[in-house]
Amino acid sequence: MANPAADACHHCGDVLPPVPLCADIDGQPHQFCCEGCAAASRWIIDANLQDYYRLRDQPAGRVDADAPSLAAWDREELLAGHARDVDGGREITVLTDGMRCAACAWLIDRALTRETGVLDSTANAITGRIRIQWDPARTPLSKPLTRLAALGYRPYLATGEAREAARRRARNRDLLRIGLAGIGAMQAMMFAEALYLDTRGQMPLPTRDFFRWITFMVSTPVVFWAGWPFIVGAWNELRGRRLGMDVLIAGSTLLAWAVSVVETVRGGPHVWYDAAVMFIFLLLVARQLEQRARNIASAQVDALARARPAFVTRELADGQRESVPIDALAIDDIVRVAVGEPVPADGVLLDADAHFEESLLTGEATPVAKQAGDAVFAGTACREHAARIRVTHVGAGTRLAELVRLVETAQAHRPALALGAERIAGWFVAGLLLAAAAVYLWWRVHDPARAFEVTLALLVISCPCALSLAVPAALAAAHGALAKLGVLSVRPDGLDRLARVTDVVFDKTGTLGDGKPQLHGIDACTGIDADTALRVAATLERDSSHPLAAAFAHVTDAPASGNVRAVAGQGVEGTIDGVRWRIGTAPFAIERADDGAVWLGNDAGARARFTFAERERPDAAQTVARLREQGLALHLASGDANAPVARFANAVGIADAHARQSPEDKLALVHTLQQQGRVVAMVGDGLNDAPVLAGADVSLAIGDGAALAQRAADLVLAGSTLVTIPATVAIARRTRRIIRQNLAWALGYNLLALPLAATGHVTPWLAALGMALSSLAVTANALRLTRIPTR
């Protein structure tokens, strides 16, 4: 049991407020963080379900005492797309993020079945899914869902009934195939053993034929139903005029089955039903494990979809609230997000302060504090207290939707290494078929009775399953580990190139720095006062994307301007009241030698000087130190002046710093390193670093929401936490090492197994076992990537 600390809520384990709520539950005094948790605990005790507190090993989710109405769940337009008819009522699958352990599933099942009109309920603590069957004539769906929410398990829509049903059907079909193949393999081996033990040929022919026909009946559904995916795959490969793994699998099993049938009918000396069914069973198990590795990465898409609530609470002009479908939201709507509820759309926080958990988008588990006016993103979860948000982006324009697109794109990529392994496997299959023909002819001449058996063993044991799985299984597991970090590999070969990196070039502003330069002072004013200089500078910088523009955002009375033009790496110029003004470096703004300051000037000369300072990110120095421990050479390239760049580099621990770097200068620095034989990674904020991001061997961009799609980067850090960079490098290196191990094992296994089979030292069923164990070894080795520390 997870016993809350003395200063924690008895129900959810959250820290107690200064004045906690005290209540007697089952005759014992307990402290609660809110009335919602106290009410949930009272109901659990009153329902005689207090065993929940004894069985649980994780605290419950916090209960929002001011949760909005769930009546919108009773709307037919929602049920039509997410519920299905069953005997006696309807069925729907919902999701909840509050299910922490098996005890939660136990509590949910018992709580829902006590609700009037609920026919059945099944909660899965692993997937967070709850399947509910109810009778609409006796109760609306909102009533049992309200009970769920009152216990701290707020319901969300799953991915739709059609997709959920397809997922269930595919999973059940795969498990049924494995089960049938497993039973068939055991039965076939049992009957085959009786035949194998008849070494002296003393078994009566009717008994022998009886065993063979029984084995035929057992193996036929295994070959043609359980093995149907391999047959279809082989047909597709042949139609595409290529030789792949499925051609070899289907060909071997069908050949073993067909020859066994012929031998059974004609009374030949040997049959190989057992090899065919054993081959299929072990391959299905191996593929199931490979699919599990792939699901680690694809679960990110499901988790992102889960973060989209079915309904939102919208504030009306008179202050009243209404629950509306999420698709009804529009820009500038005001929404209220309850504690624990996901934010439905991108927006701006209206309250004084709030905390949001951004782990799904950025990998950062600690809730992030937000102030009024800060951006809040769809998919993040509100913590501590409810928040009011003004919507700025909805639907496909949100950061959540952009991340879903990037994750799906990353999963669809076929890296060159994977394509190369497939090509090798194709040539291997062709060579193996030729070798099998040669082996068959040799044995046909020297020992005709064993010719087919030896050839079948050769085809089975040398099947390049492990070779074909070596790269995809490792990459699937690696993408799953990256998803936990909040890192997206959006280009096919980015991870492989990152593993070979020797140098890392950092941008300063917005990357190692916090991207929020502060205006420290205005001096050297000539013919103009400081306030006027500030307004002119704010006008020029107003429409600029450079981070310095944020330092002037507080100026509200800036005059109008025209013909504003930004000069990369130099500054901005424009016309105000007929006067041509420039702000930027001294050579650009006032035609003087560069002194590291930002100057404001016009045709009459220098008018004012501005000084700025940017703080390094809290984890910048730690990130630099960890990258150096990984043996990487680090460089800093910034458009700022020498003095501030040198101070910044010294603060974070980078020895090689380059100041006054335009985008072209940064690209030249990268090319210089590449000419020296170095493999260069560039880390930038993507605002003005597109040329150098594209020119580096591999590039990482700090994500900022909807602009992610415009980046030229190979990998995108969905959050702003820099310590994910050395963790990503560690994953890339270990992925490369595991891929090499897998390829070495697969090739070594085949080189060893082929001569053993060709010389008749391996029986077909043993060949099937060896091939499957080889595939399982490769998949298990790849799954080690999921255990890499994420920080």
Side-chain angles (χ1 to χ4, degrees):
M1 170 184 173
N3 294 310
D7 58 346
C9 175
H10 172 67
H11 184 71
C12 72
D14 281 3
V15 177
L16 293 172
V19 183
L21 180 67
C22 299
D24 286 338
I25 304 296
D26 199 23
Q28 297 292 327
H30 294 290
Q31 294 182 317
F32 298 91
C33 62
C34 62
E35 179 58 42
C37 286
S41 187
R42 288 193 197 98
W43 187 90
I44 290 172
I45 300 301
D46 292 342
N48 199 28
L49 297 175
Q50 59 268 25
D51 281 349
Y52 163 72
Y53 291 110
R54 178 178 58 83
L55 295 172
R56 67 177 182 174
D57 53 31
Q58 294 288 334
R62 181 168 179 171
V63 182
D64 184 9
D66 193 24
S69 169
L70 298 178
W73 284 81
D74 299 326
R75 296 182 180 181
E76 185 55 38
E77 59 267 27
L78 178 139
L79 297 176
H82 296 273
R84 68 187 185 97
D85 293 332
V86 296
D87 292 341
R90 306 184 81 174
E91 178 183 283
I92 192 171
T93 298
V94 299
L95 295 164
T96 181
D97 287 330
M99 217 183 317
R100 311 287 177 82
C101 61
C104 292
W106 178 88
L107 176 64
I108 289 171
D109 285 342
R110 282 153 181 78
L112 288 179
T113 53
R114 294 177 183 226
E115 292 293 313
T116 303
V118 174
L119 306 176
D120 189 24
S121 169
T122 304
N124 189 319
I126 298 175
T127 63
R129 296 174 181 271
I130 307 170
R131 182 180 56 81
I132 304 172
Q133 292 183 2
W134 82 104
D135 182 0
R138 299 172 59 196
T139 182
L141 177 60
S142 59
K143 187 175 180 182
L145 294 185
T146 299
R147 171 56 58 203
L148 266 182
L151 294 175
Y153 307 106
R154 185 164 179 78
Y156 307 107
L157 272 182
T159 52
E161 174 55 29
R163 181 174 172 182
E164 179 63 21
R167 185 200 301 268
R168 285 199 304 267
R169 285 195 300 269
R171 183 186 64 243
N172 293 340
R173 186 169 55 246
D174 290 344
L175 293 176
L176 191 58
R177 281 197 170 105
I178 291 175
L180 176 65
I183 294 173
M186 288 188 293
Q187 295 297 320
M189 288 299 297
M190 181 178 67
F191 293 122
E193 183 179 5
L195 296 174
Y196 289 147
L197 292 176
D198 183 29
T199 56
R200 298 182 180 180
Q202 297 177 344
M203 180 181 292
L205 290 181
T207 303
R208 185 199 67 177
D209 291 342
F210 172 77
F211 281 140
R212 288 184 175 183
W213 283 112
I214 289 293
T215 310
F216 162 78
M217 289 188 289
V218 169
S219 63
T220 299
V222 175
V223 170
F224 290 97
W225 189 77
W228 183 250
F230 302 115
I231 298 174
V232 172
W235 174 249
N236 291 333
E237 288 176 351
L238 292 175
R239 287 180 61 190
R241 297 183 178 181
R242 59 190 176 90
L243 294 176
M245 189 169 59
D246 285 341
V247 169
L248 200 56
I249 295 171
S252 300
T253 53
L254 290 175
L255 186 61
W257 179 86
V259 173
S260 297
V261 172
V262 172
E263 292 295 289
T264 300
V265 172
R266 62 187 287 267
H270 300 291
V271 292
W272 298 272
Y273 294 116
D274 56 321
V277 295
M278 179 70 74
F279 196 26
I280 289 176
F281 169 65
L282 294 174
L283 276 172
L284 287 173
V285 172
R287 286 201 171 183
Q288 187 69 16
L289 287 179
E290 181 211 357
Q291 186 60 42
R292 181 180 178 184
R294 293 181 182 276
N295 288 342
I296 294 172
S298 61
Q300 182 74 352
V301 174
D302 198 41
L304 291 169
R306 180 186 308 186
R308 190 173 184 262
F311 298 96
V312 297
T313 303
R314 181 169 61 185
E315 282 193 5
L316 303 177
D318 59 359
Q320 298 295 315
R321 302 176 190 170
E322 64 174 349
S323 181
V324 298
I326 189 171
D327 294 335
L329 274 187
I331 294 175
D332 290 331
D333 278 351
I334 306 298
V335 297
R336 184 182 185 278
V337 184
V339 174
E341 188 175 273
V343 177
D346 290 355
V348 176
L349 182 65
L350 299 180
D351 297 331
D353 65 89
H355 289 76
F356 294 87
E357 184 180 318
E358 300 181 345
S359 58
L360 185 61
L361 303 184
T362 68
E364 180 58 53
T366 304
V368 178
K370 301 278 187 177
Q371 304 296 324
D374 286 349
V376 180
F377 300 107
T380 60
C382 183
R383 297 301 182 208
E384 297 193 6
H385 58 78
R388 295 172 64 248
I389 297 169
R390 180 174 59 82
V391 175
T392 57
H393 296 90
V394 297
T398 64
R399 179 178 190 175
L400 178 67
E402 182 63 35
L403 286 176
V404 169
R405 286 193 291 271
L406 285 176
V407 171
E408 291 174 340
T409 300
Q411 292 175 3
H413 282 155
R414 302 292 300 280
L417 197 59
L419 295 175
E422 286 187 6
R423 284 194 297 270
I424 293 173
W427 285 107
F428 185 89
V429 170
L432 182 60
L433 292 175
L434 294 175
V439 168
Y440 178 79
L441 292 175
W442 191 94
W443 279 91
R444 188 70 182 171
V445 172
H446 294 84
D447 189 354
R450 296 196 62 198
F452 181 77
E453 177 182 302
V454 171
T455 305
L456 180 62
L458 176 69
L459 290 173
V460 171
I461 201 170
S462 300
C463 179
C465 298
L467 182 62
S468 297
L469 290 174
V471 178
L475 290 178
H479 282 299
L482 289 175
K484 295 177 183 177
L485 287 172
V487 178
L488 303 175
S489 179
V490 295
R491 299 191 188 277
D493 300 309
L495 204 60
D496 180 59
R497 291 197 298 268
L498 183 62
R500 296 183 282 110
V501 159
T502 59
D503 293 64
V504 179
V505 178
F506 282 99
D507 177 43
K508 181 178 79 71
T509 303
T511 304
L512 287 177
D514 62 5
K516 301 175 181 178
Q518 302 294 319
L519 179 61
H520 270 208
I522 306 174
D523 58 10
C525 295
T526 303
I528 189 174
D529 59 53
D531 288 341
T532 303
L534 181 62
R535 288 195 298 273
V536 171
T539 299
L540 296 175
E541 293 280 3
R542 179 165 47 197
D543 298 321
S544 169
S545 62
H546 193 275
L548 283 180
F552 299 100
H554 64 283
V555 180
T556 58
D557 56 347
S561 62
N563 300 321
V564 176
R565 182 175 70 94
V567 180
Q570 300 295 319
V572 181
E573 61 180 353
T575 302
I576 302 175
D577 295 332
V579 179
R580 193 68 179 170
W581 291 88
R582 292 177 295 276
I583 183 172
T585 64
F588 171 76
I590 59 176
E591 298 181 352
R592 292 183 187 174
D594 191 2
D595 61 355
V598 174
W599 284 89
L600 176 69
N602 55 26
D603 293 338
R607 288 293 173 260
R609 180 174 60 187
F610 299 88
T611 56
F612 301 87
E614 182 187 12
R615 293 172 297 183
E616 63 270 15
R617 291 183 188 269
D619 55 355
Q622 178 187 358
T623 299
V624 167
R626 290 184 60 183
L627 289 172
R628 188 180 296 109
E629 290 172 359
Q630 292 175 329
L632 297 172
L634 306 179
H635 313 267
L636 180 63
S638 173
D640 290 350
N642 285 298
V645 170
R647 286 195 300 269
F648 193 95
N650 183 64
V652 298
I654 296 180
D656 185 32
H658 302 262
R660 286 305 185 200
Q661 297 282 293
S662 66
E664 292 77 15
D665 294 330
K666 295 178 183 178
L667 184 58
L669 171 63
V670 168
H671 286 166
T672 299
L673 292 171
Q674 290 170 333
Q675 290 168 5
Q676 298 171 3
R678 315 294 288 178
V679 180
V680 183
M682 175 68 191
V683 184
D685 62 2
L687 295 176
N688 58 2
D689 294 325
V692 67
L693 286 172
D697 294 288
V698 62
S699 50
L700 299 92
I702 308 295
D704 68 347
L708 287 173
Q710 303 171 7
R711 304 296 163 81
D714 298 289
L715 296 101
V716 174
L717 279 63
S720 58
T721 305
L722 294 178
V723 291
T724 57
I725 297 175
T728 302
V729 172
I731 290 174
R733 289 178 173 179
R734 192 167 184 187
T735 300
R736 190 165 184 245
R737 186 164 62 250
I738 283 180
I739 287 175
R740 286 179 172 178
Q741 292 170 356
N742 284 352
L743 291 174
W745 166 260
L747 293 173
Y749 161 80
N750 281 288
L751 291 176
L752 177 65
L754 196 149
L756 287 175
T759 54
H761 289 86
V762 181
T763 61
W765 74 267
L766 190 60
L769 181 61
M771 182 282 310
L773 290 177
S774 175
S775 300
L776 291 174
V778 165
T779 303
N781 193 38
L783 286 173
R784 290 195 299 128
L785 283 166
T786 62
R787 298 195 297 271
I788 290 180
T790 57
R791 287 290 187 272

